Amino acid sequence: MKALVYNGDHAIALEEKPMPKIIDPTDVIVKMSKTTICGTDLGIYKGKNLYMKPGTILGHEGIGIIEEAGENVTSFKKGDKVLISCITSCGSCENCKKQLYSHCKNGGGWILGHLIDGTQAEYVRIPFADNSLYKIPPQIDDEIAVLLSDILPTGHEIGVQYGQVKPGETVVIVGGGPVGMSALLTAQFYSPSKLVMVDLDDNRLALAKELGATHAINSSAANLLDQIKEIVGEDGCDVAIEAVGVPPTWNICQKIVKPGGHIANVGVHGQKVDFEIQDLWIKNLTITTGLVNTNTTPMLLKTVAADKIDLSKMITHRFKLDEIMAAYDVFLNASREKAMKIIINN
Ligand SMILES: NC(=O)c1ccc[n+]([C@@H]2O[C@H](COP(=O)([O-])OP(=O)(O)OC[C@H]3O[C@@H](n4cnc5c(N)ncnc54)[C@H](O)[C@@H]3O)[C@@H](O)[C@H]2O)c1
Ligand SMILES: [Zn+2]
Ligand SMILES: [Zn+2]
């Protein structure tokens, strides 16, 4: 089968790989219909990730049809259309019982396209299928469903829920990529009074306004912090959501939160940041970090099926699996290409 293989930093290629096989009786094999590229895949490509072994197939998002189900899989059968969660989980270990699926102690967590072969391929093996796949409500378009593998739950859980966004509060999201936009959309469940998007890309800022941002600011502005405080108030915002994963955006977040506020870090960081404890110790802040658990995926599926959030503007490009190298090129140059989420069709 064809698959996009990570061969080391800045080295990926579409290659011929053997078909995946059932290893454990709780596995299924999914014939991929649609996948996409994540900011995290770009991070891997750029050498941010320490654990990815050369030779591994990339990708942790997508939908497909079950080709074969292991004998202990009870909820799914051959022919079912499924959403693949970016997080694989056994559902029964100590952490899974706490819905901390990203830290599944039985070898789950974020393993797809990371520790085991992923979804940017014609077929993929999904371990612990009963707890790691979802049926897709018929009201949800296939392309839209792909956005529920990772980005929508990530923005919601690690940005909005961990940031404890409440009605009337002021929220600043730093980073308007697919994950930041997902935080922007799901923050609106809670009716914040000010919802500010900060990014370097004016196209993304314009989209943020369309998706419900009350304000959008280019972070290259010399007076960025003043501009933010003019909107949210001199003390700062209630919630800052970091959705990039680099030191400058962490620095913005730690400078703009008011006493008692929250910094929710979502970005995957590849290097250390300065933590300004000398200014922050007195502020009674809550700072959260985390890998998405996808424990809110069932709720988000219902919300999207009921048309409560419109994700259609997030999809900007479509490619065939054969053209995935060109798709990476577009996503790597997202600003120039006006790209947000790219659908890869099999
Ligand atoms: N915690 C998790 O579970 C989880 C899950 C998925 C993705 N992520 C991470 O979330 C982050 C965002 O993912 P994405 O897919 O949206 O990535 P992306 O690369 O598409 O988007 C990042 C955005 O940040 C903007 N940006 C870059 N530098 C900036 C700066 N100095 N100021 C303001 N904006 C800046 C870019 O213009 C871009 O719009 C990545 O680090 C990704 O690895 C985390
Ligand atoms: Zn991802
Ligand atoms: Zn588990």
Side-chain angles (χ1 to χ4, degrees):
M1 66 165 186
K2 281 185 232 118
L4 202 263
V5 179
Y6 170 78
N7 290 319
D9 296 351
H10 293 88
I12 54 173
L14 187 63
E15 294 178 6
E16 219 27 69
K17 292 280 273 185
M19 286 275 291
K21 292 194 176 67
I22 300 265
I23 298 175
D24 295 310
T26 47
D27 293 350
V28 299
I29 304 299
V30 176
K31 182 176 197 303
M32 294 301 301
S33 332
K34 292 178 192 294
T35 182
T36 180
I37 306 170
C38 181
T40 304
D41 299 324
L42 298 187
I44 291 170
Y45 172 80
K46 291 175 186 166
K48 237 188 193 183
N49 196 287
L50 302 175
Y51 304 105
M52 180 97 176
K53 291 213 176 67
T56 309
I57 299 170
L58 278 156
H60 50 264
E61 297 165 85
I63 67 163
I65 308 286
I66 298 200
E67 177 78 9
E68 188 186 350
E71 58 186 19
N72 289 357
V73 175
T74 57
S75 307
F76 302 98
K77 58 180 191 316
K78 183 175 163 72
D80 285 350
K81 183 164 87 177
V82 289
L83 168 68
I84 299 170
S85 172
C86 64
I87 300 296
T88 305
S89 59
C90 77
S92 57
C93 72
E94 183 189 344
N95 286 343
C96 283
K97 292 273 193 206
K98 293 192 271 191
Q99 291 205 330
L100 199 60
Y101 298 134
S102 60
H103 294 276
C104 171
K105 293 174 90 157
N106 282 325
W110 172 39
I111 57 172
L112 278 181
H114 181 207
L115 307 179
I116 66 169
D117 285 336
T119 56
Q120 290 168 12
E122 287 181 81
Y123 295 86
V124 65
R125 178 180 73 93
I126 305 294
F128 301 122
D130 279 331
N131 212 53
S132 311
L133 298 174
Y134 297 91
K135 295 212 170 101
I136 303 170
Q139 302 89 335
I140 302 182
D141 181 84
D142 283 359
E143 289 192 343
I144 298 295
V146 175
L147 309 186
L148 281 100
S149 284
D150 174 354
I151 61 160
L152 199 66
T154 295
H156 178 236
E157 294 168 21
I158 309 303
V160 174
Q161 285 194 325
Y162 280 15
Q164 298 186 39
V165 174
K166 293 182 205 62
E169 289 197 340
T170 54
V171 179
V172 178
I173 301 167
V174 183
V179 168
M181 293 294 184
S182 296
L184 174 73
L185 287 165
T186 53
Q188 292 169 65
F189 292 158
Y190 304 92
S191 299
S193 60
K194 303 274 167 64
L195 192 45
V196 185
M197 179 61 81
V198 176
D199 199 287
L200 289 168
D201 177 350
D202 286 330
N203 291 315
R204 289 186 163 187
L205 291 171
L207 178 61
K209 292 288 284 280
E210 283 182 49
L211 296 182
T214 57
H215 302 78
I217 311 178
N218 194 306
S219 60
S220 62
N223 61 348
L224 174 69
L225 299 181
D226 293 338
Q227 281 196 53
I228 293 174
K229 289 190 176 170
E230 217 162 277
I231 298 162
V232 300
E234 197 44 43
D235 285 350
C237 60
D238 292 292
V239 184
I241 298 176
E242 200 286 346
V244 188
V246 294
T249 47
W250 166 260
N251 282 336
I252 295 170
C253 290
Q254 67 179 341
K255 285 186 162 61
I256 59 172
V257 179
K258 67 157 85 149
H262 303 270
I263 302 177
N265 184 85
V266 188
V268 174
H269 289 258
Q271 63 182 99
K272 325 194 253 199
V273 297
D274 273 336
F275 179 43
E276 293 181 359
I277 191 72
Q278 76 286 3
D279 293 330
L280 299 180
W281 73 268
I282 199 170
K283 284 194 163 181
N284 302 58
L285 302 184
T286 309
I287 299 172
T288 51
T289 67
L291 176 59
V292 63
N293 286 305
T294 64
N295 60 306
T296 67
T297 302
M299 177 282 261
L300 292 168
L301 280 166
K302 284 189 215 164
T303 314
V304 176
D307 245 349
K308 297 292 176 194
I309 27 181
D310 181 7
L311 296 168
S312 57
K313 289 193 174 129
M314 301 267 279
I315 299 170
T316 54
H317 291 70
R318 292 163 185 86
F319 286 90
K320 298 202 181 86
L321 182 62
D322 278 337
E323 306 162 330
I324 194 167
M325 295 299 289
Y328 263 84
D329 193 51
V330 166
F331 201 47
L332 279 160
N333 296 288
S335 181
R336 185 188 76 201
E337 302 288 342
K338 301 191 171 138
M340 182 57 67
K341 210 63 186 164
I342 297 177
I343 298 291
I344 313 280
N345 288 300
N346 268 14

